[in-house]
């Protein structure tokens, strides 16, 4: 399944089965709504699993895979731009799920927080038992100094960063629910009356 | 002897919590090290020995950085026996430039190092002081200056001595290694450490987690101190070491 296919399905659903130019929702809008619905649903599902099973983990269906090549910036920090924005605000920052060298997955990098270097300075855990480490910061990802070469990143990427014809990471059984949620979002947009007069004034509702 | 990396214990804990990624690793690793240190302090029989060169101008040595508790300072004498140093608690040292026990002249070098180092003191021709920490017969003495974290040896100390001590848990190539018996108590410690300062966990639950840790620690102590049949035989042998009467 791709984001575009779900977008087409959303337009057909809202347009009584046909996909023509009469529909009020455009394809970019449809894909945006589908993506937003997926983002919310993933977060809800993770916390629902946590509540039901007492365990917090990310199903593989939600993960996207990227390769980045870190460089050293002018301050000597080893860093790279994040290839996609991870879903944030989830337990233990699991939006970024796995980081390692592509050919050495068992020696995964230890996930850190941006305040890590100050908090753990001088502590026995500071050397991470020999592991490399990383911490995301905004749209960048920083690595411990020993990292060089290509790095594999698996993350729950924001739907907006997933190509419209790329694999859309959701479980097959979620497709209908994602579509249902996207319809709800789209209907709010469709209920808003169109302003067809070019008079530089917004339409007054009610 | 089989030893596991502490990293292995942290991952076992994460797996037990239903995780398949390292998220939270650094925090859990810190908990694991805290647990290891707690168990090590109470139950470890590990004794570290380090050779230290003695500064001949001050007779001061720096304790090993990982020393938690001093066991013994000694050297091998010419007869091949261990010659221990005895702690002389009234061996004086200086704090803020003043001698703690006596108003005596101190050697500039020794004072600089935080200890007073006095020669014999005479007043009107009478001996009124003493050689702090110095020779009394063949005794070798030391005292600890806690403020400056230094150890003062008597002036008859040889050029190098050995310090036997209980230290922080050892690392090999920057990795902590643990005996397999440590795994379970460390995991229970981590579980307790994770919850003990959280406001949304009831005191009863925290107490239960602490109890589980203490039980696991007790079990580990029993395993490590298990009294085997061989131990019993050895104990009997030690008490019947008599020369045969003929």
């Amino acid at each position: 399944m791709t984001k575009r296919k779900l977008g087409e399905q959303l337009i057909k659903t809202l347009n009584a089965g046909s996909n023509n130019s009469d529909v009020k929702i455009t394809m970019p809008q449809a894909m945006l709504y589908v993506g937003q619905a997926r983002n919310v649903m993933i977060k809800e599902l993770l916390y629902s699993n946590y509540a039901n099973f007492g365990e917090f983990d990310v199903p593989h269906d939600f993960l996207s895979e990227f390769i980045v090549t870190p460089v050293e910036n002018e301050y000597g920090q080893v860093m790279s731009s994040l290839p996609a924005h991870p879903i944030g605000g989830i337990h233990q920052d699991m939006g970024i799920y796995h980081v390692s060298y592509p050919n050495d997955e068992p020696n995964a990098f230890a996930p850190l927080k941006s305040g890590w270097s100050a908090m753990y300075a001088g502590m026995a855990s500071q050397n991470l038992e020999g592991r490399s480490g990383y911490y995301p910061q905004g749209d960048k990802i920083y690595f411990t100094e020993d990292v060089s070469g290509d790095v594999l990143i698996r993350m729950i990427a924001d739907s907006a960063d997933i190509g419209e014809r790329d694999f859309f990471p959701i479980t097959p059984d979620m497709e209908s629910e994602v579509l249902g949620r996207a319809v709800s979002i789209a209907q709010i947009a469709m209920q808003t009356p169109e302003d067809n007069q070019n008079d530089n004034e917004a339409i007054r509702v009610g | 002897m089989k030893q596991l990396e502490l990293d292995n214990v942290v991952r076992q804990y994460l797996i037990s919590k239903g995780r398949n990624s390292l998220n939270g690793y650094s925090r859990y690793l810190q908990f694991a090290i805290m647990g290891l240190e707690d168990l090590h302090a109470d139950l470890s029989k590990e004794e570290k020995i380090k050779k230290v060169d003695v500064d001949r101008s001050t007779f001061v040595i720096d304790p090993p950085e990982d020393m938690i508790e001093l066991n013994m300072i000694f050297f091998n004498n010419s007869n091949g026996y261990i010659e221990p140093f005895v702690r002389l608690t009234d061996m004086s040292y200086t704090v803020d430039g003043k001698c703690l026990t006596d108003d005596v002249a101190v050697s500039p070098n020794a004072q600089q190092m935080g200890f007073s180092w006095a020669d014999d003191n005479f007043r009107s021709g009478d001996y009124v002081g003493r050689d702090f920490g110095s020779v009394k017969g063949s005794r070798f003495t030391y005292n600890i200056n806690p403020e400056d974290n230094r150890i003062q040896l008597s002036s008859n100390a040889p050029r190098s001595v050995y310090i036997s001590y209980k230290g922080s848990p050892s690392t090999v190539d920057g990795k902590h290694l643990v005996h397999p018996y440590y795994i379970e108590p460390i995991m229970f410690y981590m579980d307790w450490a994770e919850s003990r300062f959280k406001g949304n966990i009831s005191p009863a639950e925290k107490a239960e987690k602490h109890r589980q840790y203490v039980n696991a620690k007790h079990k580990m102590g029993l395993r490590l101190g298990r009294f085997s049949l061989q131990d019993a035989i050895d104990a009997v042998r030690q008490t019947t070491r008599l020369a045969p009467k003929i």
Side-chain angles (χ1 to χ4, degrees), chain A residues 43-62:
Chain A
K43 205 163 173 177
E44 283 180 0
L45 186 81
L46 293 178
Y47 278 99
S48 145
N49 283 348
Y50 187 38
N52 290 332
F53 307 120
E55 293 176 354
F56 201 102
D57 201 25
V58 178
H60 64 89
D61 311 79
F62 302 150

Side-chain angles (χ1 to χ4, degrees), chain B:
Chain B
M1 188 170 67
K2 185 178 180 183
Q3 296 243 299
L4 288 172
E5 291 180 4
L6 192 63
D7 172 85
N8 191 313
V9 182
V10 176
R11 283 184 286 124
Q12 285 191 43
Y13 181 72
L14 287 167
I15 291 167
S16 304
K17 288 171 74 75
R19 303 278 186 76
N20 290 296
S21 73
L22 289 179
N23 294 83
Y25 178 88
S26 58
R27 186 160 169 256
Y28 292 127
L29 174 62
Q30 181 58 32
F31 289 157
I33 291 172
M34 286 158 64
L36 174 62
E37 285 172 347
D38 188 66
L39 293 165
H40 185 81
D42 289 343
L43 298 173
S44 172
K45 295 170 183 170
E46 184 183 319
E47 180 185 308
K48 294 183 177 179
I49 296 178
K50 189 175 181 184
K51 187 179 182 182
V52 183
D53 290 332
V54 179
D55 182 335
R56 303 297 295 172
S57 63
T58 61
F59 295 96
V60 164
I61 55 173
D62 291 326
E65 283 180 11
D66 61 338
M67 188 177 93
I68 297 172
E69 191 180 331
L70 177 64
N71 181 24
M72 186 167 68
I73 300 173
F74 65 93
F75 67 97
N76 290 323
N77 66 20
S78 54
N79 297 322
Y81 293 107
I82 283 176
E83 192 79 59
F85 282 70
V86 178
R87 183 165 186 185
L88 190 65
T89 51
D90 60 353
M91 182 193 286
S92 185
Y93 50 83
T94 55
V95 173
D96 294 335
K98 290 181 181 174
C99 180
L100 283 184
T101 57
D102 224 337
D103 182 18
V104 293
V106 294
S107 136
N109 274 342
Q111 190 176 35
Q112 202 174 11
M113 298 302 287
F115 285 92
S116 70
W117 186 253
D119 293 320
D120 288 350
N121 291 284
F122 295 92
R123 192 174 296 152
S124 306
D126 292 331
Y127 176 72
V128 294
R130 61 185 168 208
D131 260 334
F132 289 104
S134 70
V135 185
K136 289 178 180 174
S138 60
R139 225 154 60 112
F140 299 90
T141 56
Y142 74 94
N143 198 10
I144 299 171
N145 179 346
E147 178 166 302
D148 294 331
N149 194 27
R150 291 192 175 112
I151 299 171
Q152 171 75 52
L153 303 180
S154 53
S155 59
N156 57 349
R159 293 185 181 281
S160 61
V161 295
Y162 293 90
I163 301 181
S164 140
Y165 62 99
K166 179 177 266 193
S168 307
S170 303
T171 56
V172 176
D173 296 333
K175 296 177 180 181
H176 290 87
L177 297 178
V178 295
H179 187 279
Y181 291 169
Y182 276 72
I183 297 172
E184 195 167 302
I186 286 177
M187 285 170 64
F188 277 114
Y189 182 93
M190 291 166 77
D191 189 38
W192 173 55
E194 193 180 0
S195 67
R196 63 179 164 169
F197 296 126
K198 280 187 175 171
N200 61 343
I201 293 177
S202 71
E205 194 175 339
K206 290 177 188 175
E208 172 60 16
K209 287 176 188 292
H210 185 243
R211 193 186 62 76
Q212 287 173 332
Y213 165 60
V214 171
N215 283 351
K217 182 176 175 178
H218 180 62
K219 190 170 154 190
M220 174 190 158
L222 290 175
R223 282 173 168 175
L224 288 174
R226 195 166 42 209
F227 193 71
S228 66
L229 179 61
Q230 188 60 47
D231 292 335
I233 292 169
D234 290 345
V236 172
R237 277 184 180 148
Q238 283 168 11
T239 55
T240 56
R241 201 175 288 166
L242 295 173
K245 291 178 181 175
I246 303 172

Side-chain angles (χ1 to χ4, degrees), chain A residues 7-23:
Chain A
E8 283 170 3
Q9 207 174 339
L10 174 64
I11 290 173
K12 284 180 185 173
T13 306
L14 294 169
N15 201 29
S18 62
N19 184 8
N20 55 37
S21 56
D22 288 347
V23 70

